[in-house]
Amino acid sequence: QSALTQPASVSGSPGQSITISCTGTSSDVGSYNLVSWYQQHPGKAPKLMIYEGSKRPSGVSNRFSGSKSGNTASLTISGLQAEDEADYYCCSYAGSSTFYVVFGGGTKLTVL
Amino acid sequence: QITLKESGPTLVKPTQTLTLTCTFSGFSLSTSGVGVGWIRQPPGKALEWLALIYWDDDKRYSPSLKSRLTITKDTSKNQVVLTMTNMDPVDTATYYCAHRSAVAGGAFDIWGQGTMVTVSS
């Protein structure tokens, strides 16, 4: 069981777009269309931003989008805003006969 | 409106057993597809999934912690309990419980506020 691999940090200026990658294996990201993404502001609980790889829950801005290719999932935030500065975590179901859940190591987004 | 709240000790000693309770409202853990998970986060570190219990009492555990974890549910009380044995200072973390959605691809769509647990003698 290994955590999914995310870049430690990304940054962008207001109005720009950024993409956060989440690399797993054929046993997790590659096997399941069940990648989710969470936003966490300091001292707060995580908030679901994307589920099933690319779907947005009600109330989440359409500036957030998700995709997947092979063993790598991605979160793209367009039109960066100051309020987007936070930690972002990807998550996937994993395993075969006995499945489990695995999170990524998290990415700190800085809005310059 | 779905809400969850974690409760339990804020301080435990090394080797002790930690018992955390997640009390929820706004959904039933007897509804098909629904689950409650536990996730923890050491200070300044990443989220780590611990366990998940489903409406049908199916239980899933982190492979690396499976021998130390037990998750149970009391549907009548709307509670889920997580026990972790043989606590160690590295288990110091904020522990969250979260609602596992039946419709959102099994994502954790609603989270509790978290409870901080410190392991120290």
Side-chain angles (χ1 to χ4, degrees), chain A:
Chain A
Q1 175 198 13
S2 298
L4 305 175
T5 300
Q6 299 181 231
S9 63
V10 298
S11 62
S13 299
Q16 288 185 332
S17 294
I18 63 94
T19 296
I20 299 171
S21 61
C22 170
T23 301
T25 69
S26 57
S27 296
D28 40 60
V29 175
S31 284
Y32 298 92
N33 196 28
L34 295 174
V35 174
S36 50
W37 288 90
Y38 301 86
Q39 176 192 65
Q40 186 181 35
H41 287 110
K44 301 295 186 180
K47 174 187 176 183
L48 178 65
M49 305 302 284
I50 295 287
Y51 66 94
E52 290 182 5
S54 61
K55 298 178 181 178
R56 283 187 309 275
S58 174
V60 172
S61 170
N62 59 9
R63 297 185 298 105
F64 292 82
S65 61
S67 63
K68 191 186 89 166
S69 177
N71 297 336
T72 298
S74 298
L75 173 71
T76 297
I77 308 173
S78 59
L80 270 179
Q81 299 179 0
E83 68 208 49
D84 300 331
E85 184 164 298
D87 293 325
Y88 291 85
Y89 294 91
C90 61
C91 177
S92 174
Y93 280 75
S96 51
S97 58
T98 303
F99 72 83
Y100 53 93
V101 176
V102 61
F103 279 91
T107 298
K108 169 67 177 176
L109 168 62
T110 300
V111 180
L112 302 171

Side-chain angles (χ1 to χ4, degrees), chain B:
Chain B
Q1 178 190 7
I2 292 174
T3 64
L4 306 97
K5 187 173 184 179
E6 307 85 354
S7 59
T10 57
L11 179 66
V12 297
K13 291 180 167 51
T15 75
Q16 287 187 334
T17 294
L18 172 68
T19 299
L20 294 173
T21 300
C22 176
T23 302
F24 57 84
S25 63
F27 69 96
S28 172
L29 201 37
S30 59
T31 299
S32 179
V34 172
V36 171
W38 284 94
I39 301 100
R40 71 178 179 180
Q41 185 173 38
K45 296 189 177 182
L47 300 171
E48 179 184 19
W49 175 75
L50 300 176
L52 176 58
I53 189 165
Y54 288 90
W55 81 102
D56 59 357
D57 210 37
D58 186 17
K59 301 166 185 177
R60 304 288 169 166
Y61 297 101
S62 164
S64 60
L65 294 168
K66 184 176 182 178
S67 63
R68 299 174 54 204
L69 296 173
T70 302
I71 190 170
T72 60
K73 63 180 176 71
D74 186 329
T75 304
S76 64
K77 292 184 178 180
N78 282 353
Q79 291 181 333
V80 171
V81 175
L82 180 75
T83 61
M84 180 180 291
T85 61
N86 195 25
M87 293 292 286
D88 183 271
V90 299
D91 297 313
T92 293
T94 296
Y95 287 75
Y96 296 98
C97 63
H99 172 261
R100 186 262 189 193
S101 171
V103 297
F108 298 109
D109 60 345
I110 306 294
W111 294 59
Q113 64 188 23
T115 186
M116 178 67 192
V117 177
T118 300
V119 184
S120 175
S121 54

